[in-house]
Amino acid sequence: MSEEKILSTIKAIWIEEMDVPPGEHHKIRPESDFLAIGGDSMKFVRVIARLEDAFSISIDEQEMQKMLTLNAQAAYVQQALGAAAK
Amino acid sequence: MKIGLISPKGGFWLRPEDFDEICRGNEQALKYQFYYRGLSAALPVIAGLTPKGHEITIIDENIESIDLSAPYDIVGITSITQQATRAYQIADAFRTRGVPVVIGGIHATMLPEEAKLHADSVVIGEAELTWGDLLADAAAKRLKPFYRSDERADLSQAPLPRYDLIAGKGYEVYWVQTTRGCPHDCEFCAASKVFGSQYRCKTASQVIAEIDHLRQHAGKFRLCFADDNFFIRRDVYEPLMDYLKAAKISWIAQTDVSLAEKDAVLATLADSGCVFVLIGFESLNESVLTGLDARDWKRGKSARYGEYVRKIQSSGVGVHASFIFGIDGDDESSFDRVIDFVKENSVFAVQAAALMPLPGTRTREKLMAEQRVLDTPWENYTTFGVNYIPRAMTPETLRTGLLKVYQTAASPEHFWNTMRYFKGVARERIRRTKEQV
């Protein structure tokens, strides 16, 4: 899966979980911090659970701690998918 | 008249520096505290009770400064015990300039004579039944020293609180009240003394109108329901939860462990936007709970506290568990018991507080009679302040114990363990949704 596709899938999950209005989607940037832009911890775990489900991967709490930005989540997903492909 | 309504600097959850040190590096501990930082609903309610034709300004000293030279015709100040000293300083400053001052709120209701030393008038009890008369008397320059309502307000007739007057202050969280009163009548609770043991409710449509009013003026926000127990009247909370779900508003509320027995509520709670519920467990020690509330209700439930937490949290909603330490019968072992409980049950968040001898409570009466209330200033009446001599430990041991609980409950390690737990809950919910589809 392309990096772009992974990023857009994750962004769509963020938008849904945080109920970001259509006119404000641009505010979610690759470097945006989930908690800083209005997410809370329950929404965060729902995002992580949805990533696991959408990409059929597993994310432990050590990894979760490093995944507060869109970029970090996309990088982890890409790495996990790559590892699975091998 | 030009009316200034003031909430003095301070609050129940003010944190000392050593607590902040513990929380450093734990975004979540700081985040859930943030939920309690909005302005209490008291001043918007008072503004809502004010007849048209007056010019009202609401000032929250926690986020803005007070212009003590402002040309008010009357100033109203509300305060809890922790804010009382500052309330009196503000009142004295305005009265020096000849501006009449009215003080109300829980502390003034419990100690009206003390408040009267700094005010022209004191509102005792709920203001709904006296505020109109007070304003008329103020306009006629014949304020009475005390305005006392012997009856309690009918909340179904309560006017819309004036959230529009505070919407521009940049709050991310607003407090809304749907009920007043609590039948548990715990011996340490001052709110029960003011609001009584009978539940009084607004209608669902009233509360929805209040939130709609907020949405018109405040943009995006989260809600804190100020009720002692949100889940009492099904005809109120059910339509409200449907509304909150449709409006996609995140919210929190206070309740008791009986929520765990309400399966229909738990089935829809997370989807309605509820993030966590604050529950007063008070203690894990049965002997401490004995006699704490009027019917020993909490003691009767205490053996199943862990089961209740797990059941509520398995719905995808966190439990913010509140414990009080240092009640007679309590000893140092309670700190470790609570720490173990918090770890074993992946408790979302914890409030560890010292028993507080608040004016007007049975707790204070008892401790005063035993000469165990310390001569501490009202500013020390926060959840962290130790203002009395516990029976089985020193005040310092009690305070150190509170910090010890937070060292676990607010640690990054516990937070991420809890997040792992809730991720499992979220996965299960995804699985069930797929099955249903």
Side-chain angles (χ1 to χ4, degrees):
Chain A
M1 194 180 291
S2 72
E3 193 180 330
E4 198 179 331
K5 173 73 180 159
I6 291 170
L7 209 56
S8 66
T9 304
I10 299 173
K11 185 172 176 178
I13 291 173
W14 280 39
I15 286 168
E16 228 177 274
E17 285 298 335
M18 286 200 282
D19 184 36
V20 182
E24 295 179 15
H25 289 185
H26 65 279
K27 289 184 180 170
I28 300 183
R29 298 167 186 276
E31 67 278 10
S32 297
D33 180 297
F34 188 82
L35 295 177
I37 61 169
D40 59 41
S41 53
M42 287 305 194
K43 287 178 179 167
F44 177 71
V45 290
R46 287 203 293 269
V47 166
I48 297 294
R50 288 182 64 177
L51 295 185
E52 288 189 341
D53 183 64
F55 297 105
S56 301
I57 58 173
S58 175
I59 306 169
D60 67 25
E61 70 264 28
Q62 298 294 328
E63 295 301 333
M64 280 163 65
Q65 296 180 41
K66 303 173 201 158
M67 293 174 65
L68 287 169
T69 66
L70 207 59
N71 261 343
Q73 292 184 1
Y76 181 82
V77 169
Q78 197 152 39
Q79 183 201 346
L81 292 179
K86 287 174 191 168
Chain B
M1 288 193 296
K2 283 182 189 262
I3 303 172
L5 297 177
I6 298 173
S7 176
K9 194 172 183 61
F12 189 64
W13 288 284
L14 273 191
R15 303 180 315 203
E17 281 179 12
D18 44 5
F19 173 81
D20 274 351
E21 194 55 43
I22 287 170
C23 286
R24 224 172 291 285
N26 182 352
E27 284 300 313
Q28 177 57 20
L30 300 171
K31 191 89 179 172
Y32 72 69
Q33 293 282 339
F34 133 98
Y35 263 96
Y36 300 108
R37 283 186 196 160
L39 179 68
S40 97
L43 294 183
V45 165
I46 296 291
L49 293 169
T50 303
K52 282 183 180 162
H54 297 288
E55 187 182 327
I56 306 168
T57 305
I58 293 180
I59 302 143
D60 174 1
E61 204 189 7
N62 279 325
I63 60 165
E64 58 196 323
S65 57
I66 301 168
D67 178 3
L68 295 170
S69 63
Y72 298 124
D73 297 302
I74 187 168
V75 164
I77 305 175
T78 184
S79 95
I80 59 169
T81 295
Q82 197 279 334
Q83 297 165 299
T85 306
R86 179 61 189 149
Y88 300 152
Q89 289 168 354
I90 297 165
D92 293 346
F94 276 109
R95 292 181 84 208
T96 301
R97 285 184 39 235
V99 179
V101 172
V102 179
I103 297 183
I106 288 184
H107 186 79
T109 293
M110 295 305 171
L111 297 176
E113 298 292 344
E114 178 190 282
K116 183 67 185 69
L117 295 174
H118 304 272
D120 295 273
S121 292
V122 177
V123 175
I124 303 168
E126 298 176 327
E128 273 84 352
L129 302 175
T130 55
W131 186 245
D133 290 344
L134 184 150
L135 287 179
D137 290 349
K141 301 195 184 307
R142 53 165 195 239
L143 275 172
K144 298 185 185 80
F146 298 101
Y147 288 83
R148 179 194 299 272
S149 51
D150 293 325
E151 294 171 31
R152 292 209 162 91
D154 176 359
L155 291 191
S156 70
Q157 302 301 315
L160 199 67
R162 294 285 308 275
Y163 290 113
D164 54 306
L165 295 175
I166 62 169
K169 296 183 190 292
Y171 297 114
E172 290 181 63
V173 177
Y174 289 90
W175 288 72
V176 168
Q177 193 174 46
T178 75
T179 67
R180 288 185 199 161
C182 175
H184 292 316
D185 190 22
C186 295
E187 68 169 36
F188 54 81
C189 181
S192 297
K193 297 293 167 207
V194 178
F195 297 138
S197 58
Q198 298 292 316
Y199 284 118
R200 289 166 291 141
C201 296
K202 293 175 185 169
T203 63
S205 57
Q206 254 181 302
V207 182
I208 288 169
E210 290 183 15
I211 303 171
D212 271 339
H213 169 65
L214 257 174
R215 290 171 78 190
Q216 282 168 23
H217 294 279
K220 195 160 185 175
F221 55 85
R222 305 169 203 213
L223 284 179
C224 250
F225 287 102
D227 317 32
D228 288 321
N229 195 338
F230 181 76
F231 301 99
I232 294 299
R233 286 273 301 271
R234 205 170 155 183
D235 59 326
V236 177
Y237 67 70
E238 273 191 355
L240 201 45
M241 285 167 63
D242 289 343
Y243 169 87
L244 292 164
K245 180 182 178 182
K248 298 186 176 174
I249 294 173
S250 295
W251 59 280
I252 67 165
Q254 299 179 88
T255 185
D256 61 37
V257 290
S258 67
L259 173 62
E261 295 160 354
K262 296 182 169 91
D263 289 339
V265 177
L266 292 180
T268 56
L269 196 55
D271 287 341
S272 75
C274 183
V275 181
F276 65 83
V277 288
L278 176 78
I279 294 179
F281 293 88
E282 322 311 359
S283 177
L284 299 175
N285 184 338
E286 216 176 281
S287 69
V288 168
L289 292 171
T290 302
L292 198 65
D293 63 75
R295 297 173 295 145
D296 274 345
W297 188 87
K298 288 180 180 174
R299 188 191 66 177
K301 299 286 184 188
S302 62
R304 299 176 66 190
Y305 272 177
E307 178 193 335
Y308 288 139
V309 169
R310 291 192 298 276
K311 187 163 177 199
I312 293 169
Q313 293 200 150
S314 68
S315 76
V317 167
V319 169
H320 187 177
S322 174
F323 293 96
I324 297 177
F325 294 89
I327 298 171
D328 285 357
D330 209 5
D331 58 33
E332 291 179 51
S333 66
S334 290
F335 301 117
D336 285 332
R337 280 182 75 179
V338 167
I339 289 168
D340 291 343
F341 177 87
V342 166
K343 284 185 193 168
E344 280 166 23
N345 296 294
S346 300
V347 176
F348 176 74
V350 175
Q351 177 177 294
L355 178 66
M356 203 181 292
L358 287 167
T361 61
R362 297 196 299 281
T363 293
R364 188 174 183 88
E365 280 172 24
K366 187 172 81 177
L367 294 172
M368 288 288 277
E370 296 170 1
Q371 297 184 316
R372 292 165 59 200
V373 176
L374 296 170
D375 185 22
T376 47
W378 293 134
E379 299 92 281
N380 201 44
Y381 278 64
T382 68
T383 56
F384 291 92
V386 180
N387 300 292
Y388 75 106
I389 302 166
R391 199 180 284 288
M393 59 184 115
T394 65
E396 189 49 39
T397 305
L398 174 51
R399 194 166 186 291
T400 308
L402 297 179
L403 291 175
K404 184 179 171 188
V405 173
Y406 279 113
Q407 267 158 356
T408 296
S411 68
E413 183 191 3
H414 178 70
F415 170 62
W416 287 108
N417 282 339
T418 306
M419 290 300 97
R420 181 185 55 192
Y421 167 83
F422 280 107
K423 188 192 73 175
V425 171
R427 286 301 305 264
E428 178 59 20
R429 285 166 55 84
I430 291 169
R431 190 190 63 76
R432 282 206 305 264
T433 306
K434 279 183 171 174
E435 261 179 22
Q436 284 165 6
V437 171

